[in-house]
Amino acid sequence: MSDLSAVLLASLHPSTRKQAEVTLEQSSVQPGFMQVLLQLILNGGADRGARLAASVYFKNTVRKRWTDETDDTPIAAGDKTQLRGQIVPAMIVLAGPADKALRAQIAQSVTVIAKTDFPSEWPSLIDDLVNSLSPTDYAANLAVLETAHSIFVRWRAEARSDSLFTQINLVLSRFVQPFIELFRQTATLLLQGGQSPSDLSILGQAQTVMVTLFYDLTCQDLPPAFEDTHLEFFGPGSGWFIRFLAWDPPELAVEEDDANPSVPSQLKTAVLEVAQLYANLFTEMLRENGVIENFVQAVWELVGSGKTAAISDDQLVAQALRLLATLVRQGTFASLFQPAVVKSLIESVAVPNVYLREVDIEQFEDDPLEYIRRDMHMSDASTRRAAAADLLRSLVNSGKETEVTTIVGEWIGASLQKYGTNPQENWKDKDAAIYVLTAVAAKGGTGLQGITSRSMLIDVVEFFGQHIAQDLQAPAGSVHPILQVDAIKFLHTFRSQLTKEQLIQVLPLLVQHLASNNYVSMTYASIAVERILFLKKPDALSQPLFEPSDVQGFASGIIDALFTRIEAGGSPQKVAENDFLMKCVMRIILTAGPAILPTYERILSRLVAILRFIMQNPSNPQFSQFTFESITSLNRIVCTAKPEAVQSLEQAILPVIEEILQQDIDQFVQYAFQVLAQLLENYPEDAAPPAAYSALVTSLVQPAWWAQRGSVPALVRLLRAYLARAKENAPVEGILGVLQQRLIPSKINDEFGFELLEGLVQFTPVEAWAQFTRGIFMLLLNRLQTAKTDRFVYYFVHFLLFTVALQRPGLDPDWLVNSFDVIQPGLFGMLFGQFVLEQVPQFAQRDRKVAVVGMARLLSESQVILANPDWGNALRATLTLYGKRQAVDPQATISTASIGVEGTTEIELEEANAGYQAAPTEGPIAAVADEGVFLRNALMRVPGNVLQQSGVNLGQAFASIGS
């Protein structure tokens, strides 16, 4: 135990982290390890840091190894059985307030375990929870209730299904009655008072979790037990929920500037979340007996006229405003919102929560990045301001646009007039006016394009000219910096509403603010510049609005200014803290394109210097990503214009890449492989790869490099680039070892295994790997037999068709057939009928050409397939796939659905859409100009008896192919 504690503590320090992680990884696959880890977590006498590290490692190991659907060694079945019996008691042992952080990690572990094991492998779970509830020990009850919530909370995001309701009904049958009884007991104790502050706090926390459980248990449907007791919970005046909204014992109050909500505030927030759930799902229940009127009145008393101004009540106020917004959007409750109520709602509820408070101003000055991140998410409704904006938008969109715009317009006019009387003192009024106008004018938009739909009753361009532009142009210090930030934000928000000519006029003003001494102004300017340069043409959404000539005059200057800002951080953490700045660098490089060539060496030098500095202590993944993407974007632009420049790029970049790999900096390794692959791809395929890459690839086929999941796509890309140039010198046996040990058996990485295998078949001489053919196919067949998935079958069939579509000497269709049939006579025919025919009609558009060409060759050249009784069905499957052919729109964008897939970054998609990459080729079968013509010609070679026996009319087949 002491050794484990020491290793866990070592994992917290940069100098010893790597070795400690290796030791933990080796230990974690040993039987009984998880029980030892749990004992350490429960050992109150052990080092607290070690216990916390143990709880995090426990949770992560459960996530990684609990199910059999993992590439890692699963936790042994016997260990799982023991842990299921130990984990609920462990939560109770950790019931004390000091162990809350440990309890949270174990609760997350329970969520993972229950998702896979309950109820089939863990039928006693609910009974264990119920039997652990106590009539007197509320610390233990709190732990049990939190455990229950960790199990039930996932229902909130689950799609409705029979299996889901079977599980919910099982839980309700065993849990709901004891739950309601404990709820009554707890609520009675809570409201009658008389406890010590510590006991009252525990009661309040338990009651809050019970209200949260109430939400969990009703989030899919209304159980009969809650329907029968509806008024007990929701009844006007006497219902538990209404009484909780008025519960505010002074002994549980917190300081106004405390960022953590008080227990009463947490309880009220949970109640309002339940009310919002009912407003969305069970409106009829709220309409009966004056329930909703009672709730609206209670909310009004909570948040009206800024009554709840403390920071600790921010979550409560935001949730109250979200509830009101939901009620407004629900036409069912329209009668509640008469004109006088709407006016009061705007003036007494929404507007007071838009005004900046002293704490917001302090955050603007003292923690500018946090201010920016909170301020940017208007649609998230996570702050008072954002929730108030959501309420205003709901009023506008509920059929009251004219009414709301009139009320808001009068208030905005009065606020701006007040500002005009004393700009130094009344700047908050103008700030609030701008915020409210933005909320009411914005009707729809996206994070990529800004506001794309606005109210026709508000002329935002005119408002900008009259009230915003002056602040944007004002010298530093002449207006409050928050108003200058408001001006920048206004442009950022409504950028899609301005023409390119208008944007070009204001861009220089934004560029000036990049040199601002105010951190927020400078950062918002970088955000606005980046998003404006990202805009697409309205009539061609794959084409960028701005061209290199539009930014040529100032691109290098802006980049230098941004670098100076970044480099001023002083420490690796401070340099990397502001990823918005590096994202702006990346966007300017992409927009400038060839216009950046005269200064690319200086830009690259500074990028590499920044990368070398932050690698000392990587702290911001977003900043790291944008740094690497700036480098790869610059590389692509330079090599496209000057292919011979690749060697000078390597001289600048390879030393730092080598350091990353030598030091095994986890956060950077996958990016390092991407950079290497990109550089190597710039060498012609008919030339041998440089010696530096050959030396590197020799080590890359060692399995250890493939353990980091995020590196696999980049490693495969690098090896494919190497295979294309190494030809007969490729490390075939090493690559086959990677395929066998790391990729093909993996349910996560098998598609990359096929990508690498296809690269081997495509680029290297057949004689270099022919002797391993049987072993390769046995590997694929074993996976097909023991761990088949739909995705594996798809890529398996793709590989078969890809191999014959290549039309390489020695890889004709009968070679493929015979290679399987020597393993087992007739095996390929069985695979053809069972898998190929089923998959071919389902091939994605991107793979259609490979599939059609491959099938055409099999159907016309393979004697075995020509004699197969399924020949006609195979042709029909091929024609079905060909019939799905769609005209390719050259302006069609790459789907953003692939963002988030490992190995695909947002910028790669943006670049593809923006035309920075060369026009896509059709890979190894680019020589086939038209797969339809290829298929027609192939069918013309099919013997007549085959056509006759299969009942195929060649004329009809040709007609379906077309001309």
Side-chain angles (χ1 to χ4, degrees), residues 719-793:
L719 286 181
R720 280 179 59 94
Y722 184 78
L723 290 173
R725 291 152 184 85
K727 305 295 193 285
E728 65 277 1
N729 296 317
V732 172
E733 293 189 42
I735 287 176
L736 292 177
V738 169
L739 289 170
Q740 182 178 14
Q741 297 177 45
R742 286 291 182 179
L743 298 183
I744 295 301
S746 166
K747 293 181 180 179
I748 297 171
N749 292 319
D750 48 11
E751 68 173 289
F752 300 109
F754 279 108
E755 189 178 337
L756 183 56
L757 180 57
E758 289 174 359
L760 186 69
V761 171
Q762 177 183 351
F763 298 121
T764 60
V766 175
E767 56 271 18
W769 51 266
Q771 60 180 311
F772 304 109
T773 301
R774 180 185 178 92
I776 294 171
F777 288 176
M778 286 297 295
L779 174 66
L780 301 180
L781 291 170
N782 181 63
R783 170 69 197 277
L784 197 65
Q785 183 176 12
T786 60
K788 178 182 66 177
T789 64
D790 291 343
R791 189 173 77 164
F792 183 86
V793 171

Side-chain angles (χ1 to χ4, degrees), residues 265-569:
S265 184
Q266 293 177 49
L267 177 57
K268 294 170 188 177
T269 302
V271 167
L272 295 180
E273 288 172 349
V274 171
Q276 185 180 4
L277 173 73
Y278 267 62
N280 280 316
L281 299 184
F282 315 120
T283 54
E284 289 302 317
M285 301 296 290
L286 293 185
R287 292 180 64 187
E288 297 174 358
N289 302 299
V291 169
I292 195 59
E293 290 83 357
N294 205 226
F295 261 91
V296 170
Q297 181 62 38
V299 168
W300 214 289
E301 292 175 0
L302 273 175
V303 301
S305 299
K307 296 175 182 175
T308 319
I311 303 169
S312 58
D313 287 324
D314 281 0
Q315 294 179 27
L316 170 61
V317 172
Q319 179 55 46
L321 296 174
R322 283 196 290 269
L323 171 60
L324 291 174
T326 299
L327 295 174
V328 169
R329 280 191 290 266
Q330 289 280 8
T332 308
F333 305 112
S335 60
L336 291 174
F337 302 102
Q338 299 301 318
V341 175
V342 170
K343 182 176 176 63
S344 181
L345 196 59
I346 293 171
E347 296 177 346
S348 300
V349 176
V351 167
N353 286 295
V354 164
Y355 270 92
L356 289 174
R357 301 164 297 172
E358 284 305 312
V359 64
D360 301 313
I361 299 169
E362 290 174 4
Q363 188 178 61
F364 179 90
E365 296 169 349
D366 301 335
D367 192 359
L369 270 179
E370 181 60 23
Y371 177 91
I372 293 165
R373 293 190 174 107
R374 286 171 61 87
D375 191 49
M376 282 184 64
H377 295 91
M378 279 187 66
S379 62
D380 190 32
S382 58
T383 64
R384 290 173 181 254
R385 286 193 124 194
D390 186 41
L391 175 57
L392 290 169
R393 281 193 293 271
S394 68
L395 287 167
V396 169
N397 295 327
S398 65
K400 298 178 173 63
E401 183 175 1
T402 302
E403 179 184 348
V404 172
T405 304
T406 300
I407 297 169
V408 165
E410 292 175 355
W411 179 84
I412 289 174
S415 298
L416 292 174
Q417 185 176 9
K418 183 179 179 183
Y419 166 76
T421 62
N422 190 340
Q424 295 297 320
E425 292 293 327
N426 300 331
W427 64 267
K428 291 182 187 177
D429 294 281
K430 183 173 183 179
D431 167 77
I434 294 170
Y435 196 91
V436 168
L437 180 131
T438 300
V440 174
K443 301 188 74 173
T446 68
L448 295 179
Q449 299 292 328
I451 297 303
T452 55
S453 173
R454 64 175 178 83
S455 170
M456 292 296 101
L457 301 179
I458 300 174
D459 189 335
V460 295
V461 177
E462 180 183 39
F463 187 84
F464 175 81
Q466 292 179 352
H467 303 288
I468 303 293
Q470 55 188 304
D471 294 337
L472 193 65
Q473 298 169 319
S478 60
V479 297
H480 197 284
I482 288 182
L483 291 183
Q484 291 200 314
V485 169
D486 288 340
I488 298 169
K489 279 173 50 187
F490 195 89
L491 274 179
H492 170 257
T493 301
F494 291 105
R495 58 190 180 274
S496 290
Q497 301 299 309
L498 302 178
T499 65
K500 179 179 178 179
E501 291 70 25
Q502 291 171 324
L503 290 170
I504 288 176
Q505 290 176 5
V506 298
L507 264 177
L509 298 176
L510 291 174
V511 170
Q512 289 179 10
H513 284 280
L514 289 174
S516 171
N517 291 326
N518 183 275
Y519 194 96
V520 180
S521 296
M522 174 267 298
T523 303
Y524 254 116
S526 70
I527 294 167
V529 168
E530 190 276 326
R531 287 291 85 185
I532 287 173
L533 293 181
F534 174 78
L535 288 172
K536 309 301 179 187
K537 294 179 179 178
D539 57 346
L541 294 180
S542 65
Q543 299 299 315
L545 181 64
F546 290 90
E547 300 172 357
S549 58
D550 296 323
V551 299
Q552 185 172 5
F554 57 80
S556 295
I558 295 179
I559 291 174
D560 284 336
L562 289 166
F563 281 154
T564 300
R565 282 286 185 178
I566 292 168
E567 292 162 348

Side-chain angles (χ1 to χ4, degrees), residues 579-890:
D579 46 87
F580 300 112
L581 302 184
M582 188 56 79
K583 188 175 185 181
C584 189
V585 170
M586 176 201 72
R587 182 66 54 204
I588 294 168
I589 291 172
L590 287 171
T591 306
I596 210 74
L597 289 174
T599 57
Y600 86 85
E601 291 176 319
R602 184 178 77 245
I603 293 171
L604 182 60
S605 175
R606 296 185 78 172
L607 280 168
V608 170
I610 290 170
L611 177 58
R612 179 172 273 110
F613 192 60
I614 64 173
M615 65 185 272
Q616 298 175 28
N617 188 8
S619 57
N620 184 347
Q622 286 286 88
F623 185 92
S624 302
Q625 176 180 334
F626 293 134
T627 303
F628 276 101
E629 290 183 348
S630 296
I631 292 172
T632 56
S633 300
L634 193 62
N635 288 349
R636 186 176 297 112
I637 292 166
V638 172
C639 288
T640 300
K642 303 166 61 177
E644 69 280 3
V646 62
Q647 292 181 351
S648 66
L649 293 172
E650 287 175 336
Q651 290 174 4
I653 298 171
L654 288 186
V656 71
I657 296 297
E658 290 173 358
E659 290 179 39
I660 290 169
L661 297 180
Q662 289 169 0
Q663 297 176 32
D664 194 16
I665 302 174
D666 291 346
Q667 300 91 327
F668 289 177
V669 165
Q670 61 176 310
Y671 296 120
F673 291 140
Q674 289 176 16
V675 172
L676 288 169
Q678 183 197 46
L679 290 170
L680 183 54
E681 287 164 354
N682 285 306
Y683 283 93
E685 291 189 6
D686 58 358
Y693 294 92
S694 299
L696 177 64
V697 165
T698 302
S699 70
L700 293 186
V701 294
Q702 301 303 315
W705 283 110
W706 300 79
Q708 190 183 94
R709 192 169 296 162
S711 296
V712 170
L715 275 167
V716 168
R717 178 182 172 185
L718 175 57
L719 286 181
R720 280 179 59 94
Y722 184 78
L723 290 173
R725 291 152 184 85
K727 305 295 193 285
E728 65 277 1
N729 296 317
V732 172
E733 293 189 42
I735 287 176
L736 292 177
V738 169
L739 289 170
Q740 182 178 14
Q741 297 177 45
R742 286 291 182 179
L743 298 183
I744 295 301
S746 166
K747 293 181 180 179
I748 297 171
N749 292 319
D750 48 11
E751 68 173 289
F752 300 109
F754 279 108
E755 189 178 337
L756 183 56
L757 180 57
E758 289 174 359
L760 186 69
V761 171
Q762 177 183 351
F763 298 121
T764 60
V766 175
E767 56 271 18
W769 51 266
Q771 60 180 311
F772 304 109
T773 301
R774 180 185 178 92
I776 294 171
F777 288 176
M778 286 297 295
L779 174 66
L780 301 180
L781 291 170
N782 181 63
R783 170 69 197 277
L784 197 65
Q785 183 176 12
T786 60
K788 178 182 66 177
T789 64
D790 291 343
R791 189 173 77 164
F792 183 86
V793 171
Y794 181 96
Y795 286 109
F796 173 70
V797 173
H798 183 279
F799 167 70
L800 300 181
L801 299 179
F802 175 90
T803 301
V804 293
L806 284 174
Q807 302 186 75
R808 292 192 68 186
L811 298 184
D812 57 68
D814 274 335
W815 170 87
L816 180 68
V817 173
N818 294 333
S819 295
F820 279 97
D821 284 357
V822 297
I823 297 173
Q824 176 184 318
L827 178 58
F828 189 84
M830 182 187 70
L831 296 172
F832 188 77
Q834 186 174 351
F835 298 115
V836 177
L837 297 191
E838 178 185 339
Q839 285 296 319
V840 165
Q842 303 176 37
F843 265 71
Q845 180 73 10
R846 68 178 185 276
D847 298 324
R848 182 178 54 80
K849 190 172 185 178
V850 166
V852 170
V853 173
M855 287 297 291
R857 292 201 71 197
L858 283 170
L859 291 169
S860 62
E861 300 178 37
S862 168
Q863 297 305 310
V864 173
I865 299 302
L866 284 167
N868 191 299
D870 278 325
W871 190 95
N873 291 332
L875 175 59
R876 282 183 279 273
T878 306
L879 293 174
T880 298
L881 173 62
Y882 186 83
K884 294 178 180 179
R885 175 176 169 175
Q886 301 172 358
V888 178
D889 179 1

